[in-house]
């Protein structure tokens, strides 16, 4: 156990001193922050002043229509043109249609349909329209007390018609959130497995592994490397998940519903995060053992890359299966949980309560058993032990003094 | 400075009838020898003879097909191997690891406490004049210094037996002398060393015993002095009249082999004589024929000559 920890610590020191590790560590939080910022920007963009937004005026009373056009012209004179009025004959499609109607009590309502008018432009329009109409009322009434009363009675309201909100069903939102977690684990897993493969291949190629094997058991080396690289990748994962959770509960994460908000929403549930972390560890142990075995068989990095293609191919397949589950392109595939390479992702993609706890536990046990078998094979690959040796050793046990650990 | 942990009176290493075959048919088929306490044993053989395979089997990197390996009188086991230090053929330390950490790491792997391992690392680095580079990363060290650090990794835990695969390759003469001095000190304290090498000069200078391996089998095992008695007996002759030389050698019961190097018109010959024929007899015969002899140099009875004879016999067998 001491040797295992020594090897793990050495791996951590080796990778922890690399700048690329710190880049990977910070990449997740930066991505999360960018996601939050994109959401916040998307939300604020509806409030940002648009330049020369085209509008078409529709008014039952042409005089009111003319008043609105005049108010827009006045507003544009005071500030950079924000609205450009299209005449009915113009071929261009307007961004917004302004429907002008008078309301009981002399109130005037301008209803903006289509792209919302920037709030500043709406306020300016309201002000200019009010001023123009009051001036007109005073002029028409000869500035008497009656005229002043008439001017006070003028009210203008620019209203933006609410755009229809495309609603995402709660089920789909959950699926997107789960997919976000799965993808995060997937990215981290692929990165960590790459580190692990390099760690074993480099030492196999330059014979450093021989020094280790002369001092430690092959199983200690396998699990030591798994532990060392695993701890580092968990640190990276924790930084990513933690950053996601922090941003999700911050004001960036509180942006109006959009994809980015849905993605960040996955990080607000502590039990989901804990489950994801636990499943990640089991997945890393299984895939990691397989890669150590392949790295031990390979003579150099190109050979290792070729040998490891099937494993990364399986991981790619897992990605596409998760994608089909999220989009609903293919129906649910609950049996995937029983295929160890898919087990972790199937568990995470499965909606809460959809898979009985007993089945989840049994699938994880099956996966751990697979890990033990793979680690055993990797251990034999490290010491170049042929499979036939075990049988031979039993047969010769009576007269052989050879004992190889 | 160097210490050997509880030197045992038991034979540190005994290998008997070791066999290991790889897929391509390489490996060893019958290797037997022992390494005694307080001795340095050279393990000599051409490339592919099976040296590395044998060393790997001893340290447990590969499992042999058959044979016996005993460490300190007991079958080789993981526990027994904790008293063994190993230096692999190709040096491989993590380039970003610090020299001091690398040595302490290997010592701790063999059971030393952290504090003792670092004390030991500092002492060893001081011993070979590298204390100023203790905190340097391996990648920052010269090749020779990195190799010296690797040797220190092998001896850091005070082993009783050192197994070293080509420990001198890549070392400059000064570094070689330092390492040889380390080995001599280790031997003087009861430690045993088995190292493979291609350098007969180093083996002859440093070793008490040699094991010559050829074609996967032990061709010779014994003291260096005994090995040199197998060196060919004869003389290098540089002469113009090849036919006359061959005639004389044949008459004396010897044989002559041409050497590729040619000086002007004269050809250099390696003349092997029966041990019963003194070298002056050949000189006399050449003088009687009044032949122009450009060079006449007795073959040294050294390990290199012995190696060619012994390895050649084994290959012929």
């Amino acid at each position: 156990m001491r040797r295992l920890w020594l090897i793990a610590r050495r791996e951590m020191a080796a990778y922890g001193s690399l700048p690329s590790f710190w880049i990977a560590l910070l990449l997740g939080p930066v991505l999360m922050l960018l996601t939050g910022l994109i959401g916040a920007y998307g939300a604020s963009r509806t409030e940002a002043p648009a330049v020369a937004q085209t509008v078409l005026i529709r008014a039952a009373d042409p005089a009111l229509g003319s008043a609105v056009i005049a108010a827009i012209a006045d507003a544009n004179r005071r500030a950079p043109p924000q609205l450009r009025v299209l005449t009915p004959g113009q071929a261009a499609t307007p961004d917004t249609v302004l429907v002008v109607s008078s309301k009981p009590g002399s109130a005037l309502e301008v209803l903006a349909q289509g792209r919302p008018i920037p709030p500043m432009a709406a306020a300016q329009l309201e002000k200019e329209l009010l001023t123009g109409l009051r001036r007109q009322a005073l002029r028409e009434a000869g500035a008497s007390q009656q005229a002043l009363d008439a001017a006070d009675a003028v009210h203008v309201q620019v209203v933006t018609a609410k755009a229809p909100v495309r609603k995402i069903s709660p089920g789909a939102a959950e699926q997107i959130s789960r997919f976000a977690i799965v993808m995060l684990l997937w990215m981290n897993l692929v990165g960590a497995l790459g580190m692990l493969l390099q760690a074993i291949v480099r030492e196999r190629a330059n014979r450093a592994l021989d020094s280790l094997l002369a001092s430690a058991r092959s199983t200690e080396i396998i699990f030591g490397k798994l532990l060392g690289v695993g701890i580092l990748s968990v640190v990276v994962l924790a930084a990513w998940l933690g950053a996601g959770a922090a941003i999700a509960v911050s004001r960036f994460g509180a942006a109006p519903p959009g994809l980015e908000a849905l993605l960040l929403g996955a990080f607000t549930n502590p039990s989901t995060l804990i489950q994801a972390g636990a499943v990640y560890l089991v997945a890393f142990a299984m895939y990691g053992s397989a890669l150590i075995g392949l790295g031990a068989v390979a003579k150099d990095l190109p050979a290792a890359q070729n040998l490891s293609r099937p494993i990364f191919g399986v991981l790619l397949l897992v990605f596409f299966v998760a994608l089909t589950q999220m989009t609903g392109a293919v129906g649910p595939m609950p049996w995937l949980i029983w295929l160890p390479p898919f087990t972790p992702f199937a568990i995470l993609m499965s909606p809460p309560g959809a898979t009985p706890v007993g089945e989840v536990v049994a699938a994880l046990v099956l996966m751990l058993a697979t890990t033990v078998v793979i680690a055993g094979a990797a251990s034999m690959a490290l010491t170049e032990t042929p499979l036939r040796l075990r049988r031979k050793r039993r047969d010769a046990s009576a007269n052989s003094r050879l004992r190889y650990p | 400075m160097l210490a050997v942990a509880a030197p045992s009176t038991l034979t540190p290493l005994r290998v008997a009838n070791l066999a290991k075959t790889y897929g391509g048919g390489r490996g060893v088929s019958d290797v037997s020898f022992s390494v005694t306490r307080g001795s340095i044993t050279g393990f000599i053989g051409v490339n592919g003879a099976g040296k590395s395979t044998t060393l790997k089997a001893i340290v447990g990197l590969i499992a042999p097909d058959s044979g016996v390996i005993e460490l300190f009188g007991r079958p080789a086991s993981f526990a027994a191997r904790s008293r063994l230090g190993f230096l692999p053929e190709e040096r491989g330390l993590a380039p970003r690891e610090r020299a001091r950490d690398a040595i302490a790491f290997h010592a701790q792997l063999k059971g030393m406490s952290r504090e003792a391992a670092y004390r030991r690392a500092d002492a060893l680095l001081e011993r070979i004049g590298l204390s100023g580079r203790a905190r340097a990363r391996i990648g920052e060290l010269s090749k020779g210094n990195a190799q010296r650090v690797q040797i220190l990794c092998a001896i850091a835990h005070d082993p009783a037996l050192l197994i070293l695969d080509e420990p001198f390759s890549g070392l400059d003469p000064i570094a070689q002398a330092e390492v040889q001095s380390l080995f001599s000190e280790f031997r003087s304290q009861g430690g045993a060393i088995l190292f493979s090498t291609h350098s007969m000069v180093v083996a002859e200078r440093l070793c008490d015993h040699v094991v010559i391996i050829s074609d996967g089998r032990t061709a010779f095992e014994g003291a260096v002095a005994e090995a040199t008695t197998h060196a060919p007996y004869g003389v290098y002759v540089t002469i113009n009249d090849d036919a006359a030389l061959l005639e004389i050698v044949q008459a004396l019961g010897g044989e002559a082999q041409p050497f590729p190097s040619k000086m002007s018109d004269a050809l250099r010959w390696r003349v092997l004589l029966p041990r019963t024929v003194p070298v002056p007899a050949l000189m006399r015969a050449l003088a009687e024929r009044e032949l122009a002899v450009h060079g006449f140099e007795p073959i040294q009875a050294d390990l290199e000559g012995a190696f060619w004879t012994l390895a050649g016999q084994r290959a012929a067998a």
Side-chain angles (χ1 to χ4, degrees):
Chain A
M1 195 62 191
R2 184 171 173 265
R3 277 187 292 265
L4 192 152
W5 177 238
L6 277 170
I7 293 167
R9 235 177 35 197
R10 189 191 192 213
E11 288 300 322
M12 285 192 280
Y15 278 100
S17 65
L18 292 176
S20 54
F21 167 76
W22 296 99
I23 291 171
L25 185 74
L26 295 174
L27 187 68
V30 168
L31 280 177
M32 299 294 169
L33 187 62
L34 277 178
T35 308
L37 286 175
I38 288 168
Y41 173 73
S44 68
R45 197 164 174 267
T46 55
E47 295 166 13
V51 176
Q53 182 172 339
T54 56
V55 293
L56 184 70
I57 313 297
R58 274 199 198 132
D61 182 349
L64 288 180
S66 301
V68 170
I69 291 168
I72 289 173
D74 286 343
N76 284 347
R77 267 196 293 275
R78 293 180 204 284
Q82 296 194 16
L83 301 176
R84 186 163 64 85
V85 179
L86 294 179
T87 55
Q90 277 181 296
T93 310
D95 295 321
T96 310
V97 175
L98 296 180
V99 181
V100 186
S101 57
S102 56
K103 292 286 173 186
S106 301
L108 186 74
E109 187 185 77
V110 180
L111 180 65
Q113 294 176 334
R115 186 170 142 192
I117 291 179
M120 271 181 67
Q124 247 177 334
L125 176 60
E126 242 177 39
K127 191 178 157 195
E128 295 293 344
L129 198 50
L130 185 63
T131 310
L133 287 175
R134 282 185 175 173
R135 207 180 293 127
Q136 190 183 345
L138 289 171
R139 206 167 38 244
E140 285 171 0
S144 62
Q145 183 57 47
Q146 186 191 352
L148 290 174
D149 292 345
D152 280 344
V154 174
H155 292 287
V156 174
Q157 193 179 11
V158 177
V159 180
T160 299
K162 283 189 178 169
V165 177
R166 198 176 48 169
K167 295 215 167 180
I168 299 174
S169 71
E174 256 183 39
Q175 197 73 349
I176 291 172
S177 295
R178 279 196 297 275
F179 183 73
I181 294 279
V182 166
M183 279 307 95
L184 200 66
L185 295 194
W186 188 85
M187 281 167 65
N188 224 321
L189 185 63
V190 170
L193 290 177
M195 276 164 70
L196 198 58
L197 184 66
Q198 287 222 353
I200 199 81
V201 173
R202 193 184 54 238
E203 292 194 344
R204 171 60 103 188
N206 68 15
R207 298 288 168 189
L209 200 57
D210 289 359
S211 295
L212 272 185
L213 278 165
S215 308
R217 290 187 170 90
S218 51
T219 46
E220 289 171 332
I221 295 171
I222 289 172
F223 288 110
K225 285 189 177 293
L226 275 177
L227 185 64
V229 177
I231 287 174
L232 286 182
S233 74
V234 166
V235 168
V236 174
L237 185 69
W240 288 35
L241 293 178
I247 289 165
V249 298
S250 73
R251 67 189 203 86
F252 296 119
L259 181 61
E260 56 286 334
L262 280 173
L263 292 177
L264 288 173
F267 299 95
T268 53
N269 187 347
S271 65
T272 305
L273 298 183
I274 291 168
Q275 186 200 32
V279 168
Y280 173 81
L281 286 178
V282 186
F284 177 76
M286 187 185 70
Y287 280 103
S289 303
L291 275 180
I292 288 180
L294 291 176
V297 171
K299 297 274 181 234
D300 49 29
L301 192 58
Q305 283 169 339
N306 284 329
L307 286 173
S308 61
R309 268 167 215 242
I311 290 186
F312 285 105
V314 167
L315 280 169
L316 199 62
L317 192 61
V318 163
F319 172 83
F320 283 115
V321 168
L323 196 66
T324 57
Q325 293 295 288
M326 184 197 69
T327 58
V330 179
M333 294 187 277
W335 48 269
L336 274 180
I337 202 171
W338 299 111
L339 294 179
F342 291 87
T343 305
F345 303 98
I347 289 173
L348 291 176
M349 282 304 289
S350 166
T355 312
V357 178
E359 274 189 26
V360 171
V361 172
L364 284 174
V365 168
L366 177 66
M367 205 177 145
L368 282 172
T370 310
T371 305
V372 170
V373 171
I374 293 173
S379 165
M380 291 174 81
L382 274 181
T383 50
E384 299 175 25
T385 307
L387 281 170
R388 60 191 164 84
L389 189 72
R390 288 190 181 281
R391 185 164 44 82
K392 200 169 190 172
R393 198 188 299 164
R394 265 204 308 278
D395 296 342
S397 59
N399 55 7
S400 172
R401 283 183 289 171
L402 268 181
R403 275 180 56 227
Y404 290 94
Chain B
M1 184 61 65
L2 283 180
V4 176
S8 163
T9 52
L10 296 165
T11 304
L13 172 66
R14 191 175 80 86
V15 177
N17 311 114
L18 185 76
K20 167 74 183 177
T21 311
Y22 294 109
R26 294 179 305 116
V28 292
S29 52
D30 185 11
V31 172
S32 304
F33 64 91
S34 356
V35 173
T36 54
R37 188 176 159 257
S39 73
I40 298 180
T41 303
F43 197 39
I44 305 167
V46 295
N47 288 334
K51 298 190 299 293
S52 290
T53 301
T54 306
L55 297 186
K56 280 181 178 179
I58 293 167
V59 297
L61 300 186
I62 55 171
D65 298 336
S66 63
V68 173
I69 298 173
E70 281 183 357
L71 291 170
F72 309 102
R74 291 182 172 187
S77 65
F78 186 78
R81 288 188 179 108
S82 66
R83 299 178 62 191
L84 187 153
F86 175 61
L87 176 78
E89 184 181 359
E90 290 166 65
R91 316 296 176 246
L93 291 172
R96 294 189 65 81
E97 197 168 23
R98 296 181 196 281
R100 185 172 178 261
D101 293 339
I103 298 166
F105 168 74
H106 282 86
Q108 287 179 84
L109 273 185
K110 292 285 192 178
M112 257 191 184
S113 72
R114 184 179 161 82
E115 294 71 25
Y118 274 99
R119 270 201 308 275
R120 178 82 173 135
D122 290 338
L124 284 173
L125 285 165
E126 175 106 42
R127 164 75 175 74
I128 62 160
L130 274 180
S131 54
R133 307 284 284 151
R135 290 181 191 280
R137 296 191 191 278
I138 301 293
E140 298 164 357
L141 296 175
S142 67
K143 189 183 171 193
N145 281 344
Q147 192 156 334
R148 286 197 283 176
V149 168
Q150 179 114 33
I151 290 172
L152 297 187
C153 289
I155 62 175
H157 63 290
D158 297 335
L161 170 64
L162 273 179
I163 308 283
L164 312 161
D165 204 352
E166 300 284 353
F168 299 106
S169 70
L171 289 183
D172 61 46
I174 295 170
Q176 280 195 28
E178 270 177 13
V179 172
Q180 285 175 27
S181 146
L182 266 177
F183 290 175
S184 297
E185 195 180 325
F186 183 79
R187 170 177 57 187
S188 69
Q189 298 193 8
I193 297 176
L194 171 70
F195 75 96
S196 69
T197 183
H198 287 114
S199 169
M200 303 298 162
V201 177
V202 168
E204 200 159 7
R205 189 166 59 220
L206 197 61
C207 296
D208 308 299
H209 295 90
V210 287
V211 176
I212 295 176
I213 182 172
S214 172
D215 202 22
R217 289 163 183 268
T218 308
F220 175 83
E221 183 202 359
V224 176
E226 189 192 339
T228 54
T229 62
H230 293 272
Y233 171 69
V235 65
Y236 293 108
V237 180
T238 310
I239 196 167
N240 286 79
D241 194 341
D242 303 341
L245 175 71
L246 290 171
E247 198 178 302
I248 291 168
V249 170
Q250 202 172 12
L252 291 172
E255 60 174 296
Q257 300 157 345
F259 258 43
S261 61
K262 195 172 182 179
M263 298 190 316
S264 64
D265 292 333
L267 188 63
R268 192 167 187 238
W269 290 85
R270 184 177 187 243
V271 177
L272 303 177
L273 295 169
R275 290 190 184 270
T276 52
V277 177
V279 169
L282 173 64
M283 194 183 275
R284 236 183 348 260
L286 292 170
E288 283 169 4
R289 297 280 290 267
E290 295 182 351
L291 297 170
V293 177
H294 300 280
F296 194 90
E297 179 194 346
I299 297 172
Q300 294 291 320
D302 58 10
L303 194 56
E304 183 161 4
F307 171 77
W308 286 113
T309 305
L310 292 165
Q313 281 171 3
R314 175 66 258 162

